Amino acid sequence: MTQSEPIFRLEGVTRRYDDLTALDGIDFVAEDNSYIALLGPSGSGKTCLLRVIAGFEKPDEGRIWFQGRDITDLPAHERGIGFVFQNFALFPHLTIFENVAFGLRNGAVKVAEKDITERVTSAIEMVGLTGLEDRSPDQISGGQKQRVALARSLVLQPRLVLLDEPLGALDANLRNRMQIELRAIRERLDVTFLHVTGSETEALAMGDHVAVLDQGQIVQYGTPDAIYDSPAISDVALFLNRFNLFDGRLSGGTFEGPFGSIPVADARPNNSDVYAIRYDRTRIFDKDAVDLPGPALPVRYLASEYLGSSIVFLFETEDHKTVEVDHHLSLGEPRDLTVGENYTLSWDPAQAIVFGKETAR
Amino acid sequence: MSAATSNRDKSNTFRLLAPGVVWMILFLVAPIMMILYVSFWTQTTFAINSTLTLDSWRNFFGSEAYVGALWTTIRLWLIVLSLTLLIGYPAALFVGLLVKSKTLSTILLVLCVIPFWTSFLIRVLAWRPMLGKEGAINIILQKIGLIDSPIEVLLFSELSVIIGMTQIYVVFMVGPIAFMLGRIDRNIIEAARDLGAGFGRIFWKIILPLSLPGVVVGAIFVSVMVLGEFATSGALSGRKVNLLGNIIVTQVGSLKWAMASVVGVILTILLGIVVAGFLRIVDLKREI
C-alpha cells in the first residue's frame, strides 16, 4: 500500500481533567483519504481525543497538525474539520434544508444564494433525503437525522470528518445499513473519516485502519485483520471480544494456567501474564477424551446461543470463569451438549497468543 | 374505537374539565363580566345605581389626566420591559449558558431570588434610602467627588419608578430565559462552531431563536405585572407618576366604582392585546 500524505498528525497530545489523564501523550499519523476507526472502551478518552482534534477542547500539551498546518491554537470554527455528533445535534428550530445550509450561510466564506441552494440540494440528495427539505428535525426518524448531520458536515467539503459514535443511537438494522452507506459516501468524496466507536465489530467492519485506544494511549494501530489476528497486548484482545483470556504465570518458556502447564514458544510483552485463544479456535471434547490437540481445560457446559451462521457455547471453568466457544455451522453440525455436564476444551497451541511480563525465549 | 368507549372518553373528559371550568367561571369570567357591567352604571357623588350609561367612559376619554395615565402606563411599561430585557438577557446568558457547572448556575439563580425573601413593599421602600437626596447613592457620589450637589431627580420622579420596577421585575425575565438557555443542547452550539460560525453568528442564529420562548414568557410576566402596577409608582414617585393602577386605587378608595371599572376594563383589554401579541411571536405549545 502506498503511503499518502498524512491528513492529520498528533504529537504528544495530552489532556488532563484535574487528576484524571484522559489523553496521555498521543502520537498519531492518519493517512489521507481513508476510513479510520478509533476503538476504545468507555472512559478510554476516545471522545476527548475527537473533541481535541475538532478544537472544542485544548490539549494541555502536544501539537495537532492538519493538512501540514499546526492548528493547535486555532478555534474550532476556523479549522474546517467536520464533526458528526452522537446525538446528531441538529438545530431544532431550522428545517432540514436550513440545517444543511447552516455552514454555508454562517461560515467565514460568503457563499452566493444560488450556490447554497445547489450545494445543499446535492448534499441532501447524496444522503438520500430528497423531498424532506422542509421538514423540521423532530419530524424525521433517527436514521434520517443521522443523514442530515452527515450532509450538514459534508456540504462544506471538509478533508476530515470526525464521527463520534455516529451509529450508537440507531437500532441494529439501521446500523448495518448506515455502516455500508457511510463507507460508500466516504469513498465517493475522497475524505478521511475518523470514526469513534466502542463496538469492536463496528470498528473492524468499517475501518480501513483501526486504532485501539486504552487509558488515553493508542495501544495498537493497524488494519482490522492485523488487529484481529494479532492483538498487541492483552487489553486489545479483551476489547475485541473474540478471545478467551486466561490469567496465569509465564516463566522459563512455560505458561501455568487453569489448563495446567504448557510450553510456550514466544510471548508478547505485556504488563501481566495472559494466555489468549480465539473463541472460534477453541474446540469441545468429551470429559475423558485422550486425543486432544493441545492443553486440556476442564469445564462445565452452561448454555448456547444461536447466531444464524454459528453457535456460541458458553462454559464455566472450575474457578467460575466463563469461556466461549464459537462453532461456525459451515464446519458441520455442532455436537449435542447437556447442560451442567463436564467437558474438556482444547485447541492447537500454535494458534494461541501468549502475553507475558518476561518476553520468553 | 366503538361508540361506547368514545362516549365514555367524552364523559371522562368533561368530568376532568369540570372543576377547572367552574373555578374559572366563578373567579375569572364572572368578575370580569361584572366589572364590564359596572363600568356602565350611573355614578353620583355618593351612590351608584345600575342605570346603564356611557358617562364614565366619556369621562375617562374626556379627561386629560386619565388618558395621560394610560399613555404613562404604556410608556413606563415599554421602558421597564426594555430595561429588564437588556439587563436580564445577558444575566440569563451567563447563568444559563456560560456557567458550565449546574451547581453554580443553580446557586446564581437562587441569589437572584433572594430579594423575594422580603415583602414586595419593603423592596420598593428600600429604594428610598438609596435614591433620596441624602440617600446612599448621592452620598457616595459626593464623597468620591463626582458631583457637588445631590442629584434630586433620583427620587420621587419617573426615574425612581423605572429603577424600582426594573430591579423588582428583572428576575422574572432572567428566570424563564435562563431556563430556556439551560435546555439548549451544548452539542448544538459546538456543531454550529464546527460548521464555521463565530460567536456572534451562533448567538443570532442559534441561541437567540432557541431562547425566544423564554424571552416571551419573561416579557409576559413583566408586562402583566408592570401594567397592573400601583405600589411602586405610589411609593417612589411622590404621587407625580399616575399609572392606570393608581387611578383604580384612588377611585376605589373614594367609592367611584364605575370609573374604577372603566379603568379596569381598559387595563384588561390592554393586557389582553399585549399578551396575545407576545404569544404570536412563538408557539409556546410547541416549545414547552
Side-chain angles (χ1 to χ4, degrees):
Chain A
M1 201 181 95
T2 54
Q3 190 69 35
S4 51
E5 185 72 11
I7 179 83
F8 77 96
R9 191 152 55 85
L10 306 176
E11 275 176 13
V13 169
T14 300
R15 178 83 173 100
R16 294 185 198 92
Y17 300 96
D18 299 325
D19 48 353
L20 181 100
T21 304
L23 301 176
D24 189 2
I26 290 187
D27 294 306
F28 186 69
V29 177
E31 304 89 65
D32 198 3
N33 194 8
S34 65
Y35 203 121
I36 302 166
L38 186 64
L39 172 65
S42 62
S44 61
K46 51 193 196 300
T47 296
C48 178
L49 179 59
L50 227 52
R51 294 175 58 82
V52 165
I53 298 172
F56 299 144
E57 287 179 35
K58 255 193 168 10
D60 294 308
E61 283 163 38
R63 313 301 299 171
I64 303 157
W65 298 77
F66 175 58
Q67 294 184 302
R69 199 155 73 101
D70 184 346
I71 58 162
T72 318
D73 300 315
L74 211 60
H77 65 273
E78 291 171 19
R79 291 196 178 188
I81 295 175
F83 199 108
V84 176
F85 289 84
Q86 179 171 14
N87 66 356
F88 317 131
L90 301 183
F91 307 125
H93 59 301
L94 300 178
T95 62
I96 302 310
F97 184 94
E98 287 303 322
N99 260 278
V100 177
F102 187 88
L104 298 172
R105 285 200 204 287
N106 298 295
V109 188
K110 267 260 156 282
V111 184
E113 193 59 41
K114 193 175 123 280
D115 294 343
I116 291 178
T117 312
E118 203 170 289
R119 282 168 72 177
V120 171
T121 308
S122 74
I124 288 177
E125 189 192 326
M126 178 181 62
V127 296
L129 290 182
T130 305
L132 300 183
E133 288 90 343
D134 295 330
R135 298 267 186 98
S136 88
D138 56 10
Q139 292 172 321
I140 59 175
S141 70
Q144 290 168 335
K145 284 182 194 169
Q146 165 77 78
R147 290 155 202 263
V148 176
L150 198 62
R152 188 175 67 175
S153 281
L154 294 175
V155 77
L156 297 175
Q157 298 162 345
R159 300 299 310 141
L160 172 65
V161 178
L162 311 171
L163 302 110
D164 186 9
E165 308 215 21
L167 308 179
L170 305 181
D171 63 55
N173 265 333
L174 204 54
R175 202 156 32 201
N176 289 337
R177 234 179 47 221
M178 280 310 292
Q179 281 188 4
I180 297 164
E181 257 181 68
L182 277 177
R183 284 190 65 95
I185 288 172
R186 192 206 70 74
E187 274 159 30
R188 217 178 319 153
L189 296 176
D190 296 344
V191 38
T192 299
F193 274 16
L194 180 62
H195 174 140
V196 154
T197 173
S199 151
E200 68 288 344
T201 39
E202 200 174 293
L204 294 173
M206 303 198 66
D208 298 324
H209 286 85
V210 178
V212 185
L213 195 67
D214 185 29
Q215 293 176 0
Q217 292 180 313
I218 290 181
V219 291
Q220 190 169 9
Y221 181 59
T223 56
D225 49 332
I227 287 180
Y228 188 91
D229 284 338
S230 93
I233 59 167
S234 63
D235 279 345
V236 175
L238 180 69
F239 308 147
L240 290 177
N241 211 9
R242 292 286 191 288
F243 288 85
N244 289 311
L245 301 172
F246 303 102
D247 293 326
R249 223 167 63 80
L250 178 70
S251 65
T254 309
F255 191 94
E256 243 176 88
F259 37 75
S261 294
I262 47 168
V264 170
D266 69 329
R268 297 171 190 196
N270 196 37
N271 53 18
S272 63
D273 294 343
V274 177
Y275 189 97
I277 180 74
R278 252 162 64 177
Y279 295 159
D280 56 346
R281 300 264 159 87
T282 313
R283 290 164 60 200
I284 307 159
F285 297 89
D286 287 334
K287 194 172 84 173
D288 310 315
V290 282
D291 51 345
L292 300 175
L297 177 69
V299 288
R300 200 165 62 86
Y301 175 56
L302 291 180
S304 68
E305 209 175 298
Y306 179 72
L307 297 179
S309 60
S310 66
I311 295 187
V312 172
F313 296 98
L314 298 170
F315 297 92
E316 186 184 47
T317 63
E318 279 159 354
D319 48 353
H320 304 294
K321 192 179 135 35
T322 306
V323 177
E324 286 185 38
V325 175
D326 189 340
H327 179 88
H328 204 273
L329 290 173
S330 63
L331 300 175
E333 279 300 303
R335 45 185 299 160
D336 278 330
L337 302 178
T338 319
V339 172
E341 280 299 298
N342 289 326
Y343 294 91
T344 297
L345 298 185
S346 188
W347 54 85
D348 177 358
Q351 291 172 332
I353 301 171
V354 182
F355 302 96
K357 279 186 283 202
E358 72 168 60
T359 315
R361 288 174 292 164
Chain B
M1 200 196 288
S2 74
T5 53
S6 128
N7 271 341
R8 198 163 61 233
D9 280 356
K10 232 179 240 168
S11 74
N12 266 340
T13 309
F14 285 127
R15 228 173 293 158
L16 289 170
L17 271 176
V21 171
V22 169
W23 182 272
M24 295 302 263
I25 289 176
L26 273 180
F27 298 110
L28 185 75
V29 180
I32 287 180
M33 292 333 249
M34 195 62 206
I35 294 172
L36 186 63
Y37 181 42
V38 171
S39 74
F40 293 104
W41 283 9
T42 305
Q43 178 88 52
T44 55
T45 315
F46 298 110
I48 186 163
N49 63 67
S50 60
T51 321
L52 296 184
T53 169
L54 277 173
D55 279 356
S56 300
W57 285 90
R58 269 192 222 109
N59 267 347
F60 181 92
F61 286 105
S63 149
E64 227 165 88
Y66 290 152
V67 177
L70 174 60
W71 292 122
T72 310
T73 307
I74 291 174
R75 191 176 70 242
L76 276 187
W77 160 62
L78 285 174
I79 293 172
V80 172
L81 184 65
S82 320
L83 283 176
T84 51
L85 185 61
L86 231 54
I87 298 169
Y89 200 98
L93 198 61
F94 181 75
V95 171
L97 203 68
L98 301 183
V99 172
K100 294 243 158 50
S101 139
K102 280 274 167 217
T103 329
L104 185 58
S105 88
T106 312
I107 291 173
L108 288 172
L109 270 182
V110 170
L111 282 178
C112 290
V113 182
I114 280 185
F116 286 76
W117 294 357
T118 63
S119 94
F120 173 82
L121 275 177
I122 303 283
R123 271 177 287 143
V124 173
L125 291 173
W127 276 108
R128 285 196 183 172
M130 288 290 289
L131 299 172
K133 216 155 133 185
E134 281 159 40
I137 291 175
N138 272 324
I139 290 177
I140 291 171
L141 289 179
Q142 274 173 306
K143 278 264 153 69
I144 57 175
L146 275 177
I147 51 170
D148 298 325
S149 53
I151 309 173
E152 290 192 29
V153 72
L154 275 183
L155 188 58
F156 299 133
S157 64
E158 200 172 290
L159 180 65
S160 56
V161 177
I162 290 170
I163 293 175
M165 283 193 188
T166 305
Q167 183 262 325
I168 287 164
Y169 297 122
V170 72
V171 68
F172 293 99
M173 192 61 101
V174 175
I177 298 176
F179 173 76
M180 284 312 288
L181 288 170
R183 293 202 330 173
I184 297 178
D185 178 1
R186 297 300 189 272
N187 282 347
I188 286 175
I189 293 167
E190 285 179 343
R193 271 174 77 197
D194 187 66
L195 294 169
F199 182 80
R201 282 292 184 158
I202 295 177
F203 178 79
W204 290 110
K205 299 290 176 139
I206 306 290
I207 296 174
L208 188 62
L210 287 179
S211 66
L212 207 56
V215 175
V216 166
V217 170
I220 290 175
F221 280 165
V222 171
S223 303
V224 168
M225 287 182 289
V226 169
L227 286 171
E229 252 283 17
F230 62 91
T232 311
S233 49
L236 294 180
S237 78
R239 302 235 153 213
K240 273 181 245 160
V241 176
N242 260 326
L243 302 181
L244 290 182
N246 299 96
I247 294 178
I248 296 180
V249 173
T250 333
Q251 297 296 323
V252 168
S254 51
L255 301 180
K256 298 268 178 10
W257 295 106
M259 184 48 96
S261 295
V262 169
V263 182
V265 170
I266 289 171
L267 197 52
T268 308
I269 291 170
L270 184 59
L271 276 168
I273 293 170
V274 168
V275 171
F278 279 126
L279 288 178
R280 287 194 79 112
I281 298 177
V282 284
D283 183 0
L284 284 181
K285 262 184 296 184
R286 219 186 125 226
E287 303 288 346
I288 292 173

